[in-house]
């Protein structure tokens, strides 16, 4: 008889036992409820509050509930206001206010002046996994040195880049930082709570709250251009809730977003709904991708299981101005947007490219005009979402042997161009000027040539202990 | 469940209490893994459940409640994380573990547990976190992706790789003991 049965079930049971010993059991629910209940009683009836909020959003009359409501941090050039704030804090002598200021005004360092705003921007997290303190580093594209860095607290979104500012969302608010030196430009509270990742188009910044209200903000000041109640509810716009609300997409004067099985188009200037479409209730949209006068979006079957037996997805192309369906394409696999990853389709030229991370993991390319399959490439079960740039489709695969592989395919044919294998964790980033930028553990930024995958240059971010997430601003 | 949520949406605290009782354990386990600071878990969960109370009116009742709640818990953990450092977990001593009548079995059990802890310690933090969320919080892979922010493919590979490493480590121990017995 064997001393140990090292099959999966035994190992899983061992792990469960181990963690039970380590973390213990949940405390008594009754005691927890005993502490929670009085707090519920002390708060406004949620339904009443909700209806009040909706009414306020419709009428715009109830300023206290309308978001965004005020600017907290003085923008660049408003030093008088900032000084006044400091003076007020001193006069009041409130330790709480000073502490609050310390939290909201992170430290900025600038090693030397920057010319223009083009360059590489790397987001790194501070401390251990789970920490939500992050730092944005601006890297000179030529010298690869850090130009400035700025801390974010509670950053809860991807970053969005405008002409001269970076935008990020935290719990209940939006930050804007000046690209030139990383200083805070404005900081807006949002009464309506959690927001999607921000999107910038022209002089407007767009976010959607979890109640389906899309907001257009002036990128310079953070002031609201308009808000639109789209009727979308993003609370669970995902399969098993595995995705957070996706960011809006903007093109050709139209703002799009999805929730559940509904897609909505909003006039970017007026903030009025242009059209909305729904698909079968068994299908759920991923985030839209707007290009020119079309919007592309995928849907997938909802399933509470990670790998259900029957799953399929569709890719749709809608006319952006009328909402007319141009074409749809069915895939017998599940296209799912993973948390923290790009949209599940990438559109380049006349091709719509995506993969199906659940089930077969294959990569597909469709003709953007007709929706016909152009090519299909076999990929791995462990593949992550595709990105496209410079005529190359690429995606990262975390193989189970501990390696990280960057796969590159020819955009036109789907044929394999090259693979690069890395022993360290790898985060692919943007493609610019025939280079793929990526973050590699523990603190490297690497630039690969799109033609052959060879490393052109790499640099370490001193003092950083997390894999950088990269953006490139032209 | 749908009727419970609907009642809670209208402000029925009894219905909300039933939701708390149903989902408290998974919320606690998830927070326990993400936060690691046991002292702060209760506050985090209080805030998360208050978020749920406030957000319920906008919740669509035909949608699953659990992932939504996990999102709220995760967000609260993230907000709290900056105020805390991760707890250093002391590796338990062998004496803390199972005692059986059979001394050989006892020794083997202790060795196996010790080896598991040692093998776990060799995994990356991310791999450990995925294992904890899978086998302690008992989350689905897609839910792990939700609370960690990792792509789904990465979650899958982390889990496979971690289990593979653990099997190799424990197999090495088994061979060693069998060799010693000979």
């Amino acid at each position: 008889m064997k001393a140990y049965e090292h099959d999966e079930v035994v190992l899983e049971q061992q792990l469960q036992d181990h963690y039970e010993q380590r973390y213990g059991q949940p405390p008594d629910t009754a005691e927890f409820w005993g502490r929670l209940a009085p707090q519920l009683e002390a708060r406004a009836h949620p339904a009443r509050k909700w209806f009040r909020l909706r009414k306020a959003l419709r009428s715009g009359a109830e300023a206290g509930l309308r978001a965004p409501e005020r600017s907290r941090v003085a923008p660049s050039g408003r030093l008088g206001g900032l000084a006044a704030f400091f003076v007020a804090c001193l006069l009041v002598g409130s330790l709480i206010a000073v502490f609050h200021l310390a939290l909201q005004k992170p430290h900025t360092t600038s090693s030397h002046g920057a010319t223009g705003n083009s360059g590489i921007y790397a987001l790194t997290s501070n401390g251990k996994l789970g920490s939500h303190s992050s730092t944005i580093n601006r890297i000179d594209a030529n010298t690869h040195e850090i130009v400035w860095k700025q801390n974010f607290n509670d950053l809860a979104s991807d970053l969005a880049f405008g002409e001269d500012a970076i935008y990020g969302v935290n719990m209940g608010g939006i930050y804007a930082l000046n690209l030139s030196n990383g200083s805070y430009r404005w900081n807006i509270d949002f009464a309506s709570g959690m927001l999607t990742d921000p999107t910038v188009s022209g002089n407007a910044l767009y976010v959607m709250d979890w109640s389906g209200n899309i907001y257009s903000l002036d990128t310079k000041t953070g002031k609201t251009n308009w808000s639109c109640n789209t009727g979308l509810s993003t609370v669970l716009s995902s399969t098993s809730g595995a995705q957070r609300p996706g960011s809006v997409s903007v093109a050709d004067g139209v703002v799009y977003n999805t929730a559940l099985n509904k897609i909505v188009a909003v006039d970017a200037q007026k903030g009025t709904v242009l059209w909305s479409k729904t698909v079968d209730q068994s299908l759920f949209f991923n985030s839209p991708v707007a290009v020119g006068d079309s919007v592309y979006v995928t849907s997938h079957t909802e399933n509470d299981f990670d790998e259900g037996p029957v799953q399929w997805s569709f890719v749709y192309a809608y006319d952006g101005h009328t909402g007319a369906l141009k074409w749809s394409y069915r895939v017998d696999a599940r296209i799912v947007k993973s948390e923290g990853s790009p949209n599940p389709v990438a559109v380049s030229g006349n091709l719509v490219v995506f993969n199906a991370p659940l089930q077969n993991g294959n990569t597909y390319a469709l003709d953007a005009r007709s929706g016909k399959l152009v090519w299909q490439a076999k990929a791995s079960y462990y593949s992550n979402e595709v990105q496209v740039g410079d005529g190359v489709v690429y995606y990262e695969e975390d193989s189970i042997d501990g390696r990280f592989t960057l796969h590159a395919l020819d955009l036109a044919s789907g044929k394999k161009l090259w693979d690069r294998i890395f022993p360290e964790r790898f985060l692919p980033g943007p493609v610019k000027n025939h280079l793929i930028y990526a973050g590699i553990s523990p603190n490297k930024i690497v630039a690969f040539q799109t033609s052959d995958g060879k490393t052109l240059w790499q640099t370490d971010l001193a003092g950083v202990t997390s894999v950088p997430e990269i953006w490139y601003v032209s | 469940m749908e009727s419970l949520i609907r009642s809670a949406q209208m402000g029925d605290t009894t219905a909300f209490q039933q939701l708390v009782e149903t989902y408290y354990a998974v919320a606690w386990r998830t927070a326990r893994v993400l936060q690691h600071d046991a002292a702060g878990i209760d506050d985090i969960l209080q805030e998360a459940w208050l978020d749920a109370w406030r957000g319920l009116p906008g919740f669509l009742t035909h949608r699953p409640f659990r992932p939504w709640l996990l999102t709220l818990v995760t967000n609260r953990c993230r907000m709290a994380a900056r105020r805390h450092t991760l707890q250093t977990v002391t590796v338990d001593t062998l004496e803390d573990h199972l005692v059986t009548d059979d001394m050989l079995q006892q020794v083997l059990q202790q060795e196996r547990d010790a080896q598991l802890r040692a093998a776990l310690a060799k995994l990356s933090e991310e791999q450990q976190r995925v294992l904890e969320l899978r086998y302690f919080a008992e989350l689905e892979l897609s839910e792990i992706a939700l609370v960690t922010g990792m792509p789904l493919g990465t979650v899958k590979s982390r889990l496979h790789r971690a289990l593979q490493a653990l099997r190799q480590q424990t197999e090495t121990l088994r061979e060693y003991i069998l060799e010693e017995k000979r």
Side-chain angles (χ1 to χ4, degrees):
Chain A
M1 181 180 172
K2 290 183 178 180
Y4 299 103
E5 294 291 342
H6 290 290
D7 59 22
E8 194 164 323
V9 175
V10 171
L11 180 56
E12 289 176 355
Q13 186 60 54
Q14 282 182 311
L15 284 167
Q16 287 171 354
D17 293 344
H18 170 78
Y19 291 133
E20 293 288 347
Q21 284 187 334
R22 179 176 177 179
Y23 290 137
Q25 293 283 342
D28 182 56
T29 312
E31 289 182 13
F32 179 80
W33 176 254
R35 292 189 295 277
L36 181 64
Q39 297 185 67
L40 302 182
E41 299 294 343
R43 292 173 190 268
H45 190 292
R48 285 201 298 272
K49 183 178 178 182
W50 170 250
F51 293 129
R52 198 152 51 93
L53 175 64
R54 290 211 303 190
K55 182 181 176 185
L57 288 170
R58 280 199 298 271
S59 66
E62 199 168 343
L65 290 169
R66 184 181 171 85
E69 52 189 275
R70 63 190 172 87
S71 176
R72 250 197 333 227
V73 175
S76 177
R78 293 186 188 176
L79 294 177
L82 184 62
F85 181 59
F86 272 107
V87 170
C89 289
L90 290 171
L91 287 174
V92 172
S94 166
L95 288 174
I96 294 174
V98 173
F99 178 68
H100 177 74
L101 182 65
L103 285 178
Q104 299 299 332
K105 186 75 173 134
H107 176 66
T108 303
T109 61
S110 181
S111 56
H112 49 78
T115 55
N117 293 320
S118 66
I120 301 160
Y121 293 82
L123 183 69
T124 57
S125 60
N126 306 326
K128 301 289 187 181
L129 187 71
S131 163
H132 228 234
S133 173
S134 309
T135 300
I136 181 78
N137 304 267
R138 178 176 169 184
I139 316 293
D140 187 291
N142 296 314
T143 65
H144 315 148
E145 291 180 357
I146 294 176
V147 178
W148 55 256
K149 55 185 175 182
Q150 174 68 282
N151 293 333
F152 284 108
N153 282 331
D154 296 335
L155 180 67
S157 72
D158 271 352
L159 299 175
F161 288 80
E163 184 182 345
D164 55 5
I166 306 171
Y167 307 91
V169 164
N170 67 357
M171 288 288 288
I174 303 177
Y175 291 95
L177 274 63
N178 291 303
L179 276 177
S180 58
N181 59 13
S183 61
Y184 274 69
R185 175 179 290 184
W186 49 258
N187 183 8
I188 300 293
D189 282 340
F190 255 74
S192 53
M194 289 180 283
L195 301 167
T196 62
D197 294 344
T199 300
V200 173
S201 180
N203 294 323
L205 173 76
Y206 302 92
V207 290
M208 186 167 85
D209 67 21
W210 286 30
S211 301
N213 300 296
I214 294 179
Y215 300 91
S216 168
L217 280 64
D218 186 303
T219 53
K220 299 290 183 192
T221 64
K223 293 190 182 308
T224 304
N225 297 321
W226 51 257
S227 65
C228 174
N229 188 343
T230 63
L232 295 171
S233 176
T234 66
V235 171
L236 285 165
S237 59
S238 64
T239 167
S240 303
Q243 302 159 34
R244 291 181 180 183
S247 53
V248 304
S249 189
V250 187
D252 204 21
V254 184
V255 181
Y256 307 89
N257 210 355
T258 58
L260 304 181
N261 61 339
K262 187 175 182 181
I263 179 169
V264 171
V266 176
D267 186 301
Q269 288 298 318
K270 301 173 184 173
T272 52
V273 173
L274 293 173
W275 55 264
S276 66
K277 297 284 180 183
T278 56
V279 291
D280 186 293
Q281 285 192 340
S282 64
L283 293 168
F284 296 88
F285 279 127
N286 292 305
S287 299
V289 177
V291 178
D293 61 357
S294 298
V295 59
Y296 304 91
V297 61
T298 60
S299 68
H300 58 83
T301 47
E302 192 209 17
N303 197 321
D304 284 342
F305 304 100
D306 288 313
E307 294 162 49
V310 181
Q311 297 182 351
W312 63 92
S313 305
F314 284 94
V315 184
Y316 306 89
Y318 291 100
D319 182 290
H321 293 280
T322 66
L325 180 66
K326 292 182 171 180
W327 52 259
S328 64
Y329 182 88
R330 174 174 168 148
V331 179
D332 287 326
R334 192 163 152 208
I335 306 170
V336 172
K337 178 179 182 291
S338 298
E339 178 65 19
S341 59
N343 288 315
V345 298
V347 182
S348 181
N350 290 325
L351 292 176
V352 178
V353 186
F354 61 95
N355 71 3
L358 275 176
Q359 293 185 323
N360 63 26
N362 289 352
T363 305
Y364 302 81
L366 307 179
D367 186 303
R369 293 160 299 192
S370 66
K372 304 283 187 191
L373 181 67
V374 177
W375 54 259
Q376 179 178 344
K378 184 71 180 169
S380 161
Y381 176 76
Y382 301 103
S383 302
N384 287 312
E385 283 78 3
V386 297
Q387 295 186 59
V388 176
D390 199 24
V392 177
V393 178
Y394 67 101
Y395 60 90
E396 181 244 357
E397 174 194 357
D398 292 7
S399 53
I400 59 172
D401 59 4
R403 299 181 302 175
F404 301 83
T405 306
L406 180 63
H407 298 273
L409 310 176
D410 178 63
L411 174 62
S413 66
K415 291 182 178 173
K416 174 182 166 181
L417 292 176
W418 47 262
D419 291 340
R420 281 288 306 271
I421 297 173
F422 304 91
E424 304 92 1
R425 190 178 173 199
F426 180 88
L427 274 181
V431 178
K432 288 288 179 185
N433 305 324
H434 310 297
L435 293 174
I436 298 172
Y437 294 91
I440 296 184
S441 180
N443 61 352
K444 282 185 172 52
I445 297 175
V446 182
F448 308 103
Q449 297 176 158
T450 52
S451 56
D452 55 12
K454 289 182 178 173
T455 301
L456 187 67
W457 59 263
Q458 66 178 38
T459 187
D460 292 349
L461 291 178
V464 170
T465 57
S466 68
V467 186
E469 187 175 356
I470 312 294
W471 288 265
Y472 192 104
V473 174
S474 301
Chain B
M1 186 54 64
E2 193 172 323
S3 61
L4 265 185
I5 294 171
R6 201 165 275 139
S7 298
Q9 284 180 317
M10 300 307 294
D12 182 343
T13 53
T14 304
F16 190 70
Q17 182 180 4
Q18 285 184 261
L19 287 175
V20 172
E21 289 169 351
T22 302
Y23 293 103
Y24 178 70
V26 70
W28 184 87
R29 287 170 181 273
T30 302
R32 188 73 181 84
V33 170
L34 294 179
Q35 184 60 20
H36 276 203
D37 177 10
I41 298 295
D42 192 71
D43 288 343
I44 286 170
L45 291 177
Q46 293 271 333
E47 291 298 328
W49 279 106
L50 287 171
D51 289 341
W53 177 247
R54 286 189 289 259
L56 265 175
F59 181 82
L60 297 180
T61 52
H62 65 284
R63 310 297 304 150
F65 180 79
R66 177 170 137 151
W68 180 64
L69 175 67
L70 290 177
T71 303
L72 300 177
V73 171
T74 303
N75 284 332
R76 283 295 169 185
C77 285
R78 285 174 172 164
M79 292 179 75
R82 66 185 171 89
R83 297 192 295 269
H84 301 281
T85 55
L86 285 178
Q87 182 186 42
T88 302
V89 178
T90 306
V91 176
D92 304 336
T93 59
L94 294 178
E95 289 72 22
D96 293 338
H97 290 276
L98 297 176
V99 176
T100 67
D101 294 335
D102 184 329
M103 286 303 292
L104 175 61
Q105 287 301 316
Q106 181 182 346
V107 170
L108 292 176
Q109 180 68 46
Q110 289 174 344
E111 289 288 347
R112 184 174 61 181
D113 292 344
Q115 187 69 14
L116 180 63
R117 290 196 300 277
L120 284 170
K122 290 181 180 175
L123 300 179
S124 70
E125 281 188 36
E126 288 180 342
Q127 287 177 322
Q128 291 185 45
R129 190 65 58 93
V130 169
L131 283 176
E132 290 165 348
L133 289 169
R134 184 66 164 173
Y135 296 111
F136 181 67
E138 298 181 343
L139 302 189
E140 299 286 348
L141 293 182
S142 54
E143 290 174 334
I144 297 172
L146 171 73
V147 302
T148 61
M150 292 181 194
L152 187 59
T154 303
V155 170
K156 290 190 289 189
S157 65
R158 293 277 187 283
L159 186 63
H160 277 259
R161 206 179 303 148
L163 290 172
Q164 190 180 46
L166 291 179
R167 283 192 202 98
Q168 287 171 350
Q169 291 284 337
T170 50
E171 181 68 16
T172 303
L173 172 70
R174 186 176 75 86
E175 290 171 356
Y176 171 78
I177 291 175
L178 290 176
E179 186 67 26
E180 288 294 297
K181 286 173 69 178
R182 290 190 197 108

